[in-house]
Amino acid sequence: MDLQSIKNRFGIIGNSPALNFALDTAVQVAATDLTVLIVGESGVGKEVFSQIIHALSARKHNPFIAVNCGAIPEGTIDSELFGHEKGAFTGAVDSRKGYFETVNGGTIFLDEIGEMPMGTQARLLRVLETGEFIRVGSSKVQKTDVRVIAATNRELIEFAEKGRFRQDLYYRLSTVPIRVPALRDRREDIPLLFRKFVVDFAERYKTNPVQLGEEAKNILMHYPFPGNVRELKNLAEQISVLSNETILSAQELRRFLPERHQNNLPVLAHNTDSTHHEFANEREILYKLFFDMKKDVTELKKMFLEILKNPSLASSATQFTKDSLIHDVAHHEDGLHPFFPANISAQNTLAPAALASGASQPVILNHDNLHQHEVVEESLNIMDKEKELIIKALKKHKGKRKDAASDLGISERTLYRKLKEYDIEE
């Protein structure tokens, strides 16, 4: 049987590769008696897959029952699954058969099996391994021939590692795992599903089916759908009943979507605020970069003021400044430092006097006499020059950090960080 006929038979809409792979796996395993574990978020249609497996199996004429393990109280789930004897517990006025007894020869679908209590897990493991079970309050071992299909919206292996699920049961259940994709992982199927639902609801409520406008379609395909297909179906029903538009606009669609998820929806390019949304993050990054560079330039100004007071440091400082600026140019995109005018090349540096005077436009010193290989060689010695300058300042002030930092034009905290970075012993 081909996949399309199976989709038509069970009302499955969609052509995404992930969905087709899951269906193909279900078809192949159906003819066997292997235990199947269906994994997927709530609302993706895990129960439909269990019905497909049963309907295509040799057990298709025998009973099928779906049991939600999370909906049965812990104190009664053993009785529901395995039955009980009269007087086994308070309220047990008669003997009762459990699902494993009544569905003998058929299929049991255990939904949300991750919620099953640990004691019940041990009983289930015995059924899977030996086909044997014991009613609550009885000592008589009974046999059953039931195929188990389990489903979960949790990662059971993580539960097993935390001791919340039996590891041996996990591996016994997941003989053949089938992962049903979430709706957000098959976005191309969303318009098809929506169309199917609105047509069905239009027939039920005697109205015209709503159609999606292009902008509304784009929004719908990018909505995260935490409730998956179930949420989409509910949304289609609301729109079919409450919308006054035949062709659904983006504004009308947003009226039905939860506000908490609308911040993640796409904004079209012609929107007046699109530029703001598109470049918000980039602008924040640039602001941070500018603030950091402004701090660096301020420290350089302080350093050059000290150099003017103490000419003996001028030679080392000038070389340090040139190398630092060349290093900055080499490490910025487009080859320009954010604070350089566009016509400054990597072979130019700033005059200390210009920075010290606080001039609005820096004075450019051209180094036309420098060869390219010399610039590259000097740029590799930036850290050495900085280390050398710090050592000279410490020697000059006899190891006093505060005075050395002041002389260098940097904070004492920055100096301490540089000492650790360059492993300088005082």
Side-chain angles (χ1 to χ4, degrees):
M1 186 179 292
D2 64 284
L3 289 184
Q4 190 55 53
S5 61
I6 292 173
K7 291 177 183 178
N8 295 339
R9 178 179 173 183
F10 292 94
I12 296 176
I13 307 294
N15 297 302
S16 72
L19 177 65
N20 288 340
F21 179 77
L23 279 172
D24 187 56
T25 305
V27 172
Q28 290 185 58
V29 78
T32 72
D33 263 343
L34 294 174
T35 305
V36 178
L37 178 63
I38 304 173
V39 182
E41 297 179 5
S42 294
V44 295
K46 297 188 290 294
E47 186 171 344
V48 176
F49 277 77
S50 69
Q51 293 170 355
I52 292 173
I53 294 171
H54 175 72
L56 299 180
S57 73
R59 300 172 181 264
K60 60 185 177 182
H61 299 299
N62 295 330
F64 171 89
I65 188 169
V67 181
N68 190 329
C69 299
I72 304 175
E74 183 174 348
T76 61
I77 189 169
D78 284 357
S79 172
E80 292 287 326
L81 294 177
F82 309 107
H84 64 260
E85 295 293 343
K86 181 179 179 181
F89 51 84
T90 304
V93 295
D94 291 304
S95 296
R96 180 184 182 275
K97 292 181 179 181
Y99 297 135
F100 277 96
E101 195 171 347
T102 58
V103 187
N104 188 21
T107 304
I108 289 184
F109 174 56
L110 299 176
D111 198 9
E112 305 305 342
I113 198 167
E115 308 299 324
M116 181 178 284
M118 294 294 287
T120 310
Q121 291 178 31
R123 286 172 172 262
L124 176 60
L125 181 61
R126 183 178 181 183
V127 174
L128 294 174
E129 291 181 340
T130 66
E132 298 177 347
F133 69 95
I134 301 175
R135 286 186 183 182
V136 177
S138 174
S139 58
K140 181 183 177 181
V141 176
Q142 299 191 53
K143 299 285 288 186
T144 187
D145 176 24
V146 172
R147 182 181 194 172
V148 173
I149 301 174
T152 180
N153 61 1
R154 311 291 185 91
E155 292 297 337
L156 289 187
I157 188 62
E158 295 179 5
F159 270 36
E161 290 170 354
K162 296 175 182 177
R164 297 174 59 185
F165 198 85
R166 293 181 63 104
Q167 229 174 30
D168 48 5
L169 178 58
Y170 166 73
Y171 290 115
R172 188 65 181 79
L173 287 171
S174 58
T175 305
V176 178
I178 296 176
R179 187 170 292 273
V180 184
L183 191 55
R184 62 181 171 276
D185 295 328
R186 40 185 289 233
R187 297 185 187 279
E188 64 271 31
D189 293 339
I190 293 176
L192 298 174
L193 284 163
F194 182 82
R195 177 64 180 169
K196 171 67 166 60
F197 292 146
V198 294
V199 168
D200 289 346
F201 290 127
E203 292 178 1
R204 179 185 300 180
Y205 300 118
K206 310 300 180 186
T207 59
N208 293 323
V210 177
Q211 298 183 31
L212 287 171
E214 281 302 315
E215 190 175 349
K217 178 181 177 181
N218 186 43
I219 290 174
L220 198 67
M221 290 180 66
H222 287 83
Y223 179 74
F225 284 104
N228 291 291
V229 178
R230 186 183 295 126
E231 182 180 5
L232 177 60
K233 186 175 183 179
N234 291 342
L235 177 67
E237 186 169 17
Q238 290 181 47
I239 293 172
S240 298
V241 174
L242 301 176
S243 178
N244 296 320
E245 296 183 359
T246 305
I247 299 179
L248 196 66
S249 65
Q251 183 178 358
E252 179 73 358
L253 174 61
R254 286 193 176 96
R255 192 164 67 89
F256 297 96
L257 296 176
E259 292 184 5
R260 66 180 180 276
H261 293 297
Q262 292 199 34
N263 292 335
N264 297 324
L265 296 178
V267 179
L268 295 183
H270 59 72
N271 189 290
T272 55
D273 295 330
S274 60
T275 303
H276 171 78
H277 289 297
E278 185 176 355
F279 297 106
N281 292 336
E282 287 82 353
R283 186 172 64 245
E284 291 176 6
I285 294 172
L286 287 173
Y287 282 163
K288 185 179 186 302
L289 177 63
F290 288 146
F291 289 143
D292 289 344
M293 294 308 302
K294 182 178 179 182
K295 181 181 178 182
D296 291 342
V297 171
T298 302
E299 290 189 354
L300 282 173
K301 286 182 179 180
K302 292 179 181 178
M303 184 185 297
F304 288 135
L305 283 173
E306 293 299 326
I307 290 173
L308 291 176
K309 296 177 183 177
N310 188 357
S312 63
L313 295 176
S315 177
S316 297
T318 302
Q319 183 62 49
F320 171 75
T321 303
K322 182 181 72 176
D323 289 343
S324 297
L325 291 173
I326 292 173
H327 177 269
D328 284 344
V329 170
H331 284 75
H332 278 84
E333 189 175 2
D334 300 326
L336 292 176
H337 191 289
F339 286 93
F340 282 177
N343 62 341
I344 301 179
S345 69
Q347 293 182 338
N348 296 328
T349 188
L350 303 182
L355 290 177
S357 63
S360 58
Q361 293 294 330
V363 178
I364 308 302
L365 297 181
N366 294 317
H367 298 280
D368 296 331
N369 59 323
L370 290 175
H371 295 291
Q372 185 176 2
H373 73 275
E374 291 176 337
V375 173
V376 173
E377 183 179 355
E378 289 172 351
S379 67
L380 296 176
N381 295 325
I382 294 173
M383 297 176 65
D384 293 339
K385 292 295 183 183
E386 188 175 22
K387 182 177 179 179
E388 181 183 337
L389 196 59
I390 291 172
I391 292 173
K392 285 183 179 180
L394 287 170
K395 285 183 179 179
K396 175 184 174 183
H397 295 284
K398 299 179 180 180
K400 294 181 179 179
R401 290 183 189 173
K402 185 175 181 180
D403 295 338
S406 177
D407 204 355
L408 290 168
I410 59 178
S411 66
E412 190 174 355
R413 181 180 178 183
T414 301
L415 177 59
Y416 178 75
R417 177 170 56 82
K418 293 291 184 183
L419 293 176
K420 300 264 297 180
E421 182 180 343
Y422 297 130
D423 197 21
I424 299 174
E425 295 182 1
E426 302 175 57

